């Protein structure tokens, strides 16, 4: 069985005191059982705090976005090299909130994934359909199109990413894809990955995952873990999901 990876996406939440309590709970509470890994992706200003709070623990950490560019006149952006310089492992790219609220298109997502890999980070590439796309029977074509853009840009490096399937209608809504619905899309993504020589890429599920529903999702053969939003803000709940 593949390792189960559980990644917290704090989104734009947190504060120095809250973070300290949450990070302390994770660093102290995570015993790194075999076959399980966890990571947290925090807002940029808190990454230095995350780095020092998690030093010496088995909890990895990452950013929630990264620039497609290496350096230069890109006001407000943060490069993969800057993140890598102080120990960042992961960068989420193509989250649906970036695609929907910031107009990120498939090509930009692919360029960000490439920039992350070039600096030694692992991009967590998010794909997922909207409710309208699902209702129109377009789930498969949407997620395959989103993955194909990244596969084309990365070529033989595709095997170095983590992929996250996050149906947009399940994010922050309390409405989770059923284990069977998630498995069906994960199997489609796995087949596309395998066709590109990247069968072993971890494929995470995201969208209203909580301790109460994680075990059923994690039991699916092509679900290799989760990308957890709201429930990652509670250290105990997050650790329970990671052990599901
Ligand atoms: P959620 O968010 O767990 O709050 O639904 C998941 C995500 O957006 O990564």
């Amino acid at each position: 069985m593949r390792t189960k990876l559980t990644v917290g996406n704090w989104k734009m939440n947190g504060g120095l005191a809250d973070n300290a309590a949450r990070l302390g709970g994770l660093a102290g509470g995570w015993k790194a059982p075999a076959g399980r890994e966890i990571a947290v992706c925090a807002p940029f200003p808190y990454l230095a705090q995350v780095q020092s709070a998690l030093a010496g623990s088995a909890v990895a950490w990452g950013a929630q976005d990264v620039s497609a560019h290496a350096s230069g006149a890109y006001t407000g952006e943060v490069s993969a090299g800057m993140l890598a310089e102080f120990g960042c492992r992961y960068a989420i790219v193509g989250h649906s909130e970036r695609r929907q609220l910031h107009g990120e298109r498939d090509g930009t997502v692919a360029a960000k994934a490439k920039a992350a890999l070039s600096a030694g980070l692992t991009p967590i590439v998010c794909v997922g359909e909207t409710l309208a796309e699902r209702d129109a029977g377009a789930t498969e074509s949407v997620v395959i199109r989103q993955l194909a853009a990244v596969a084309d840009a990365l070529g033989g490096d595709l095997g170095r990413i983590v992929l996250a399937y996050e149906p947009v209608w399940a994010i922050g809504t309390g409405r989770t894809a059923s284990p069977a619905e998630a498995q069906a899309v994960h199997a489609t993504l796995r087949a596309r990955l395998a066709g590109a020589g990247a069968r072993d890429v971890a494929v995470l599920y995201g969208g209203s995952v909580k301790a109460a529903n994680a075990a059923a999702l994690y039991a699916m053969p092509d679900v290799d873990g989760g990308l957890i939003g709201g429930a990652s803000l509670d250290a105990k709940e997050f650790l329970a999901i990671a052990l599901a």
Side-chain angles (χ1 to χ4, degrees):
M1 204 170 78
R2 292 181 200 86
T3 297
K4 297 273 195 241
L5 170 64
T6 302
V7 180
N9 172 14
W10 292 1
K11 309 196 181 189
M12 200 172 72
N13 293 296
L16 290 172
D18 280 358
N19 301 345
R22 190 179 308 127
L23 292 164
L26 295 179
W30 183 242
K31 306 299 177 209
R36 303 278 162 161
E37 289 178 15
I38 63 170
V40 290
C41 294
F44 287 129
Y46 298 132
L47 291 179
Q49 181 191 19
V50 171
Q51 179 204 33
S52 54
L54 296 179
S57 81
V59 184
W61 56 274
Q64 297 172 13
D65 188 23
V66 66
S67 178
H69 307 284
S71 65
Y74 301 102
T75 302
E77 296 211 21
V78 175
S79 76
M82 294 171 185
L83 294 168
E85 198 173 22
F86 66 115
C88 181
R89 166 110 50 105
Y90 296 104
I92 297 172
V93 301
H95 190 280
S96 64
E97 287 150 18
R98 305 275 338 154
R99 292 181 191 260
Q100 293 196 322
L101 305 174
H102 301 273
E104 287 190 14
R105 306 181 68 92
D106 294 342
T108 304
V109 175
K112 289 184 171 193
K114 194 168 178 149
L117 280 177
S118 312
L121 306 185
T122 298
I124 300 173
V125 177
C126 300
V127 299
E129 82 287 3
T130 63
L131 189 56
E133 288 164 339
R134 173 161 282 258
D135 288 345
T139 298
E140 190 163 315
S141 62
V142 168
V143 299
I144 291 297
R145 186 203 77 222
Q146 292 171 334
L147 174 57
V150 175
D152 290 349
L154 299 187
D157 282 334
L158 184 63
R160 296 170 57 206
I161 72 166
V162 168
L163 187 61
Y165 168 55
E166 297 206 309
V168 179
W169 47 270
I171 294 178
T173 60
R175 187 179 159 195
T176 321
S178 70
E181 283 172 328
Q183 169 58 27
V185 179
H186 282 232
T188 298
L189 292 168
R190 177 86 59 213
R192 177 65 177 82
L193 289 164
R199 158 166 277 285
D200 289 334
V201 161
V203 186
L204 313 183
Y205 169 79
S208 297
V209 178
K210 339 183 232 306
N213 59 24
L217 288 159
Y218 280 21
M220 295 292 109
D222 288 303
V223 175
D224 302 322
L227 181 54
I228 319 300
S232 74
L233 297 174
D234 178 327
K236 277 205 178 76
E237 174 88 4
F238 181 65
L239 291 178
I241 294 170
L243 294 172

